Amino acid sequence: MTDFFAGIPQIRYEGEGSSNEFAFRHYNPDEVILGKRMEDHLRFAVAWWHSFAWPGGDPFGGQTFQRPWFGDTLELAKLKADVAFEMFDILGAPFFCFHDADIRPEGATFAENKRNLEEIVDHIGTRMESSKTKLLWGTANLFTHRRFMSGAATNPDPDVFAWSAATVKTCMDATKKLGGANYVLWGGREGYETLLNTDLGREAENAGRFLQMVVDYKHKIGFQGAILIEPKPQEPSKHQYDYDVATVYGFLKRFGLENEVKLNVEQGHAILAGHSFEHELALAASLGILGSIDMNRNDYQSGWDTDQFPNNHPEMALAYYEVLRAGGFTTGGTNFDAKLRRQSLDPEDLILAHVGGMDTCARALKAAARLWEDGALERARADRYAGWETPEAKAMLGSSLDEIEARVLAEGLNPEPRSGRQERLENLWNRFV
């Protein structure tokens, strides 16, 4: 045991009336909602990078956090893992997520990176033997190091492509070894800053081939989890190739991967793309590619991804309603891709940020589940499209423009608009939230 979280009790559910800040008011893992335990609905995960690797900097100032595990040795990486599992146990977190660079020190060569990763994965595996916490997903950091400044899979240098592909292989091996439920790819530098030095066609073809290799390797090693792509616009590249759900789906279709790859959709990224979180979730579900979510929030007064912990349960309820409509998570879950504010220095802050986020999500899930169980919103939706269930409407979709014109003339069709009833449905929603 380390002493980093000394004096902080295990967080337990005490109900809405509790005044204990080190307790859950809404998140009751064993509460059954729509026939499933709350823990199994939400499938919370802690993000290793923000919780244990982020130093607390911003574009105008450097490190504010002083953590005893900060450094570039395997001994400190193991200490970081020990602290992480102590936090998982305090929270009762069912999952965690990691990038390779979060858990291992950076080596001077690829071979050293691989050795470091394998050693720390063995250490994490040992810690998992005595913990309930499992791996939701692993991924490779192909964006921080200067070698990736022009991309990874889309880099103009084939040696960077090779380094990136080899790194993903080691991370997929690590994820499989730790029993991960998914493997995620986030193209943080897969984009461009200027067309003056960019070959869009070549970069797209290379990115498509890269992903095909990932899928091929998944099947080769017998990895049973899902391969996920995480869309994000603008940041850090001016033009990101994985801008939003629709863009990524078009990419998957182009390379014949729409049945092999799903999406990890993040709230903050949806906002940066000019969408709502629920829009991106609903679209992904309608396309059959909703896999998992990163839960956070953005500061709507800032133009970048602030990665704050969620605290707006009505907003999150809209998101979880779409998750419920899609049938819930299978291999995916709710990962807190959220970080403390750089002034929040204390160990208690790290625990309480997750407590608040988990409670917010639980409250949102309960509201969404009540409305889903009531059925009024779905009945209103079905009523609005009821005309399309008639034999005539279905037959029309199989006819031609000539035939449709003839019918309109013969029947003297002159349709009047019908109310969309938006405000009535908003009032209905607010009754449950």
Side-chain angles (χ1 to χ4, degrees), residues 6-48:
I8 298 178
Q10 186 172 11
I11 309 300
R12 303 185 186 281
Y13 172 73
E14 293 185 2
E16 295 185 38
S18 176
S19 61
N20 177 12
E21 63 178 344
F22 290 96
F24 294 121
R25 294 171 178 78
H26 297 277
Y27 178 57
N28 179 2
D30 294 320
E31 181 179 345
V32 176
I33 296 174
L34 301 178
K36 187 191 298 187
R37 293 174 63 248
M38 185 183 288
E39 181 179 82
D40 298 329
H41 270 292
L42 292 166
R43 291 169 62 85
F44 284 131
V46 175
W48 202 289

Side-chain angles (χ1 to χ4, degrees), residues 60-75:
F60 304 99
Q63 177 176 332
T64 59
F65 297 161
Q66 301 291 336
R67 306 302 197 204
W69 57 83
F70 281 177
D72 293 320
T73 68
L74 277 167
E75 289 72 24

Side-chain angles (χ1 to χ4, degrees), residues 216-255:
D216 290 344
Y217 190 66
K218 166 193 167 171
H219 294 305
K220 178 180 178 180
I221 64 176
F223 178 59
Q224 298 301 308
I227 301 296
L228 307 175
I229 287 181
E230 182 173 327
K232 182 178 184 179
Q234 303 176 41
E235 188 185 79
S237 298
K238 180 179 178 181
H239 296 280
Q240 289 282 130
Y241 297 143
D242 50 2
Y243 190 89
D244 59 6
V245 168
T247 305
V248 175
Y249 184 70
F251 173 83
L252 295 176
K253 289 285 286 186
R254 176 177 176 180
F255 294 100

Side-chain angles (χ1 to χ4, degrees), residues 53-94:
W54 187 59
D58 67 16
F60 304 99
Q63 177 176 332
T64 59
F65 297 161
Q66 301 291 336
R67 306 302 197 204
W69 57 83
F70 281 177
D72 293 320
T73 68
L74 277 167
E75 289 72 24
L76 290 174
K78 291 176 182 177
L79 173 61
K80 178 165 55 175
D82 293 341
V83 172
F85 275 88
E86 288 173 10
M87 190 173 97
F88 302 158
D89 291 343
I90 288 171
L91 293 170

Side-chain angles (χ1 to χ4, degrees), residues 2-282:
T2 73
D3 62 357
F4 185 74
F5 293 114
I8 298 178
Q10 186 172 11
I11 309 300
R12 303 185 186 281
Y13 172 73
E14 293 185 2
E16 295 185 38
S18 176
S19 61
N20 177 12
E21 63 178 344
F22 290 96
F24 294 121
R25 294 171 178 78
H26 297 277
Y27 178 57
N28 179 2
D30 294 320
E31 181 179 345
V32 176
I33 296 174
L34 301 178
K36 187 191 298 187
R37 293 174 63 248
M38 185 183 288
E39 181 179 82
D40 298 329
H41 270 292
L42 292 166
R43 291 169 62 85
F44 284 131
V46 175
W48 202 289
W49 52 98
H50 282 329
S51 294
F52 309 110
W54 187 59
D58 67 16
F60 304 99
Q63 177 176 332
T64 59
F65 297 161
Q66 301 291 336
R67 306 302 197 204
W69 57 83
F70 281 177
D72 293 320
T73 68
L74 277 167
E75 289 72 24
L76 290 174
K78 291 176 182 177
L79 173 61
K80 178 165 55 175
D82 293 341
V83 172
F85 275 88
E86 288 173 10
M87 190 173 97
F88 302 158
D89 291 343
I90 288 171
L91 293 170
F95 295 100
F96 69 95
C97 301
F98 74 88
H99 301 83
D100 58 328
D102 307 325
I103 62 174
R104 55 122 179 100
E106 185 71 23
T109 64
F110 173 79
E112 187 178 351
N113 275 353
K114 183 177 180 180
R115 288 194 299 271
N116 289 345
L117 181 63
E118 289 171 347
E119 183 166 342
I120 198 64
V121 164
D122 286 342
H123 182 77
I124 290 173
T126 300
R127 291 306 309 257
M128 291 175 72
E129 292 174 0
S130 58
S131 174
K132 67 169 279 187
T133 306
K134 300 177 182 178
L135 176 60
L136 186 65
W137 49 260
T139 187
N141 181 323
L142 303 178
F143 50 89
T144 298
H145 194 281
R146 65 192 298 268
R147 73 172 61 90
F148 304 120
M149 68 179 187
S150 299
T154 61
N155 200 288
D157 184 346
D159 287 348
V160 176
F161 182 103
W163 180 292
S164 304
T167 298
V168 168
K169 176 189 176 298
T170 64
C171 292
M172 292 180 71
D173 290 338
T175 300
K176 182 175 185 292
K177 186 171 184 177
L178 294 175
N182 309 271
Y183 184 82
V184 169
L185 298 107
W186 177 58
R189 301 287 178 185
E190 311 297 16
Y192 70 90
E193 296 177 6
T194 175
L195 281 174
L196 298 178
N197 64 4
T198 301
D199 184 338
L200 284 173
R202 183 187 295 273
E203 293 195 1
E205 291 293 330
N206 287 351
R209 182 68 190 115
F210 192 100
L211 187 55
Q212 288 168 344
M213 291 178 184
V214 169
V215 170
D216 290 344
Y217 190 66
K218 166 193 167 171
H219 294 305
K220 178 180 178 180
I221 64 176
F223 178 59
Q224 298 301 308
I227 301 296
L228 307 175
I229 287 181
E230 182 173 327
K232 182 178 184 179
Q234 303 176 41
E235 188 185 79
S237 298
K238 180 179 178 181
H239 296 280
Q240 289 282 130
Y241 297 143
D242 50 2
Y243 190 89
D244 59 6
V245 168
T247 305
V248 175
Y249 184 70
F251 173 83
L252 295 176
K253 289 285 286 186
R254 176 177 176 180
F255 294 100
L257 295 167
E258 69 273 16
N259 296 320
E260 293 280 2
V261 178
K262 296 183 184 297
L263 300 190
N264 181 58
V265 184
E266 179 180 309
Q267 195 270 1
H269 296 177
I271 301 304
L272 285 180
H275 305 307
S276 67
F277 192 22
E278 60 269 20
H279 163 84
E280 291 288 83
L281 295 174

